[in-house]
Amino acid sequence: MFALTLTAELNGVTDLRPKDTAESPFWYTFTVQCTSCRETHGNPVAVSRFETNELSGSRGEANFVWRCKNCKRESSCSIKTSPKPYTQGEPAKQQSIIEFDCRGLEFTSFTPEGEWLADGIESNTKFEGIDLQEGEWYDYDEKANDEVSIKDLKWEIKRA
């Protein structure tokens, strides 16, 4: 089992999470490496917890099934938990966002493509359409009359 973790500085917002519903699935974007031959796939791959693919030889199914171009070995990954919101704290602490079970492959890095959501701490304002690809996000909370931000994002994939 592995976990995608985040450490980030949240100012004025909390409960940062991907917009990930059956109607609007979030595609988690990773760099993938084969654990057999250690070949790293050149292009990022996207995994949704709402999509399943058949494993060859009728061995069940997984959210992501991949065949290494180098050694031809089939590998898979399944997301085991729904995303956990990242809560604001001082100082910023590493928190698990999702957990996944990988067989024959490893995710080596994460790219936060897609839409993220957060809530205003004081005002409970719902912030939608948050883009974290630049590594930071700034906005203004009209109800709280204050600037809000998400910055110093550090993504890590580690054993759960």
Side-chain angles (χ1 to χ4, degrees):
M1 268 308 234
F2 291 90
L4 170 65
T5 65
L6 170 63
T7 308
E9 187 181 316
L10 274 56
N11 295 302
V13 292
T14 191
D15 293 341
L16 175 66
R17 64 215 178 268
K19 182 177 182 180
D20 192 9
T21 62
E23 299 78 40
S24 179
F26 188 86
W27 290 87
Y28 299 89
T29 307
F30 296 99
T31 303
V32 66
Q33 181 181 60
C34 176
T35 56
S36 291
C37 68
R38 307 311 290 173
E39 180 78 17
T40 299
H41 188 53
N43 298 321
V45 298
V47 183
S48 166
R49 67 190 181 103
F50 295 103
E51 181 176 289
T52 55
N53 301 283
E54 295 285 322
L55 293 165
S56 63
S58 67
R59 296 179 305 157
E61 51 189 29
N63 295 124
F64 176 68
V65 179
W66 176 70
R67 185 171 302 280
C68 178
K69 287 180 189 166
N70 191 40
C71 72
K72 309 294 183 238
R73 183 165 174 207
E74 186 177 82
S75 306
S76 65
C77 177
S78 287
I79 296 173
K80 294 298 187 187
T81 60
S82 56
K84 296 181 194 88
Y86 183 90
T87 54
Q88 190 267 355
E90 291 290 332
K93 286 191 174 67
Q94 187 176 54
Q95 298 175 38
S96 176
I97 303 297
I98 58 165
E99 290 182 1
F100 42 90
D101 186 18
C102 293
R103 306 285 166 115
L105 64 84
E106 235 172 65
F107 292 139
T108 56
S109 66
F110 173 74
T111 306
E113 292 179 1
E115 184 178 345
W116 293 77
L117 310 169
D119 301 327
I121 291 176
E122 303 285 319
S123 64
N124 211 26
T125 299
K126 305 289 182 213
F127 291 95
E128 297 182 1
I130 298 171
D131 181 352
L132 299 177
Q133 288 188 75
E134 298 297 318
E136 57 189 18
W137 170 83
Y138 296 90
D139 205 335
Y140 192 79
D141 187 337
E142 300 286 338
K143 290 183 192 168
N145 227 8
D146 207 1
E147 184 180 82
V148 292
S149 65
I150 300 168
K151 54 190 182 182
D152 300 329
L153 284 89
K154 184 172 176 245
W155 301 97
E156 205 175 317
I157 297 162
K158 55 196 286 183
R159 291 207 175 273

Short mmCIF file of all heavy atoms in Angstrom, two decimals, residues 1-4 30 77-81 98-102 106-107 157-158 160:
data_model
loop_
_atom_site.label_atom_id
_atom_site.label_comp_id
_atom_site.label_asym_id
_atom_site.label_seq_id
_atom_site.Cartn_x
_atom_site.Cartn_y
_atom_site.Cartn_z
N MET A 1 0.84 -1.19 0.00
CA MET A 1 0.00 0.00 0.00
C MET A 1 0.88 1.25 0.00
O MET A 1 1.85 1.32 0.73
CB MET A 1 -0.84 0.03 1.26
CG MET A 1 -2.20 -0.58 1.23
SD MET A 1 -3.34 -0.14 0.00
CE MET A 1 -4.64 0.30 1.05
N PHE A 2 0.48 2.20 -0.80
CA PHE A 2 1.17 3.47 -0.88
C PHE A 2 0.18 4.59 -0.62
O PHE A 2 -1.03 4.40 -0.76
CB PHE A 2 1.79 3.67 -2.27
CG PHE A 2 2.93 2.75 -2.55
CD1 PHE A 2 2.72 1.51 -3.13
CD2 PHE A 2 4.23 3.12 -2.24
CE1 PHE A 2 3.76 0.65 -3.39
CE2 PHE A 2 5.29 2.26 -2.49
CZ PHE A 2 5.06 1.03 -3.07
N ALA A 3 0.70 5.74 -0.25
CA ALA A 3 -0.14 6.91 -0.01
C ALA A 3 0.44 8.11 -0.76
O ALA A 3 1.66 8.27 -0.83
CB ALA A 3 -0.22 7.22 1.48
N LEU A 4 -0.45 8.91 -1.31
CA LEU A 4 -0.06 10.20 -1.87
C LEU A 4 -0.24 11.19 -0.72
O LEU A 4 -1.34 11.32 -0.18
CB LEU A 4 -0.97 10.59 -3.04
CG LEU A 4 -0.82 12.02 -3.55
CD1 LEU A 4 0.58 12.25 -4.14
CD2 LEU A 4 -1.88 12.34 -4.57
N PHE A 30 0.23 10.64 -12.56
CA PHE A 30 1.50 10.16 -12.00
C PHE A 30 2.53 9.85 -13.07
O PHE A 30 2.17 9.57 -14.22
CB PHE A 30 1.27 8.85 -11.22
CG PHE A 30 0.38 8.96 -10.03
CD1 PHE A 30 -0.95 8.60 -10.10
CD2 PHE A 30 0.88 9.40 -8.81
CE1 PHE A 30 -1.78 8.68 -8.98
CE2 PHE A 30 0.07 9.48 -7.68
CZ PHE A 30 -1.27 9.12 -7.77
N CYS A 77 -2.72 -1.02 -10.62
CA CYS A 77 -2.87 -0.21 -9.43
C CYS A 77 -4.35 0.04 -9.18
O CYS A 77 -5.10 0.27 -10.12
CB CYS A 77 -2.13 1.12 -9.60
SG CYS A 77 -2.37 2.20 -8.19
N SER A 78 -4.74 0.00 -7.92
CA SER A 78 -6.11 0.33 -7.54
C SER A 78 -6.08 1.33 -6.40
O SER A 78 -5.32 1.18 -5.45
CB SER A 78 -6.86 -0.92 -7.09
OG SER A 78 -7.17 -1.73 -8.20
N ILE A 79 -6.92 2.36 -6.53
CA ILE A 79 -7.06 3.36 -5.48
C ILE A 79 -7.97 2.75 -4.42
O ILE A 79 -9.07 2.29 -4.72
CB ILE A 79 -7.63 4.67 -6.04
CG1 ILE A 79 -6.63 5.27 -7.05
CG2 ILE A 79 -7.93 5.66 -4.91
CD1 ILE A 79 -7.13 6.48 -7.81
N LYS A 80 -7.52 2.73 -3.16
CA LYS A 80 -8.22 2.02 -2.09
C LYS A 80 -9.08 2.92 -1.21
O LYS A 80 -9.93 2.43 -0.47
CB LYS A 80 -7.22 1.27 -1.21
CG LYS A 80 -6.50 0.14 -1.94
CD LYS A 80 -7.49 -0.89 -2.39
CE LYS A 80 -6.83 -2.12 -2.98
NZ LYS A 80 -7.79 -3.03 -3.56
N THR A 81 -8.85 4.22 -1.24
CA THR A 81 -9.61 5.13 -0.38
C THR A 81 -10.13 6.31 -1.18
O THR A 81 -9.53 6.68 -2.19
CB THR A 81 -8.73 5.68 0.76
OG1 THR A 81 -7.63 6.40 0.20
CG2 THR A 81 -8.21 4.58 1.67
N ILE A 98 -4.76 10.20 -0.68
CA ILE A 98 -5.37 8.93 -1.11
C ILE A 98 -4.39 7.79 -0.85
O ILE A 98 -3.18 8.02 -0.71
CB ILE A 98 -5.76 8.90 -2.62
CG1 ILE A 98 -4.55 9.15 -3.50
CG2 ILE A 98 -6.91 9.82 -2.92
CD1 ILE A 98 -4.75 8.79 -4.95
N GLU A 99 -4.90 6.57 -0.81
CA GLU A 99 -4.06 5.39 -0.69
C GLU A 99 -4.35 4.48 -1.87
O GLU A 99 -5.48 4.40 -2.35
CB GLU A 99 -4.33 4.66 0.63
CG GLU A 99 -3.84 5.44 1.82
CD GLU A 99 -4.06 4.70 3.13
OE1 GLU A 99 -4.58 3.56 3.13
OE2 GLU A 99 -3.71 5.29 4.17
N PHE A 100 -3.29 3.80 -2.35
CA PHE A 100 -3.44 2.92 -3.49
C PHE A 100 -2.54 1.71 -3.35
O PHE A 100 -1.53 1.75 -2.66
CB PHE A 100 -3.19 3.66 -4.81
CG PHE A 100 -2.02 4.60 -4.78
CD1 PHE A 100 -0.75 4.18 -5.12
CD2 PHE A 100 -2.19 5.92 -4.41
CE1 PHE A 100 0.33 5.04 -5.09
CE2 PHE A 100 -1.11 6.80 -4.37
CZ PHE A 100 0.14 6.35 -4.71
N ASP A 101 -2.97 0.63 -4.00
CA ASP A 101 -2.25 -0.64 -3.98
C ASP A 101 -1.67 -0.89 -5.36
O ASP A 101 -2.42 -0.99 -6.33
CB ASP A 101 -3.24 -1.76 -3.59
CG ASP A 101 -2.57 -3.10 -3.40
OD1 ASP A 101 -1.34 -3.14 -3.23
OD2 ASP A 101 -3.28 -4.12 -3.43
N CYS A 102 -0.34 -0.94 -5.45
CA CYS A 102 0.34 -1.13 -6.73
C CYS A 102 0.92 -2.54 -6.81
O CYS A 102 1.51 -3.02 -5.84
CB CYS A 102 1.47 -0.12 -6.90
SG CYS A 102 0.89 1.56 -7.07
N GLU A 106 5.39 1.30 -9.75
CA GLU A 106 5.52 2.29 -8.70
C GLU A 106 5.22 3.65 -9.28
O GLU A 106 5.64 3.95 -10.40
CB GLU A 106 6.97 2.30 -8.22
CG GLU A 106 7.18 2.07 -6.76
CD GLU A 106 8.67 1.90 -6.46
OE1 GLU A 106 9.43 2.86 -6.65
OE2 GLU A 106 9.04 0.80 -6.05
N PHE A 107 4.50 4.47 -8.55
CA PHE A 107 4.33 5.86 -8.96
C PHE A 107 5.48 6.64 -8.35
O PHE A 107 5.71 6.55 -7.15
CB PHE A 107 2.98 6.41 -8.49
CG PHE A 107 1.79 5.78 -9.17
CD1 PHE A 107 0.66 5.46 -8.47
CD2 PHE A 107 1.81 5.54 -10.54
CE1 PHE A 107 -0.45 4.90 -9.10
CE2 PHE A 107 0.71 4.99 -11.19
CZ PHE A 107 -0.41 4.66 -10.46
N ILE A 157 5.06 10.43 -2.48
CA ILE A 157 4.44 9.10 -2.53
C ILE A 157 5.26 8.23 -1.61
O ILE A 157 6.47 8.12 -1.76
CB ILE A 157 4.44 8.56 -3.98
CG1 ILE A 157 3.59 9.48 -4.86
CG2 ILE A 157 3.94 7.12 -4.02
CD1 ILE A 157 3.83 9.35 -6.32
N LYS A 158 4.60 7.65 -0.62
CA LYS A 158 5.32 6.85 0.36
C LYS A 158 4.52 5.62 0.78
O LYS A 158 3.32 5.55 0.52
CB LYS A 158 5.69 7.71 1.59
CG LYS A 158 4.51 8.41 2.23
CD LYS A 158 4.93 9.53 3.15
CE LYS A 158 5.51 9.00 4.43
NZ LYS A 158 5.88 10.01 5.38
N ALA A 160 2.30 3.27 2.87
CA ALA A 160 1.24 3.61 3.84
C ALA A 160 1.32 2.66 5.04
O ALA A 160 1.73 1.54 4.92
CB ALA A 160 -0.11 3.49 3.17
#
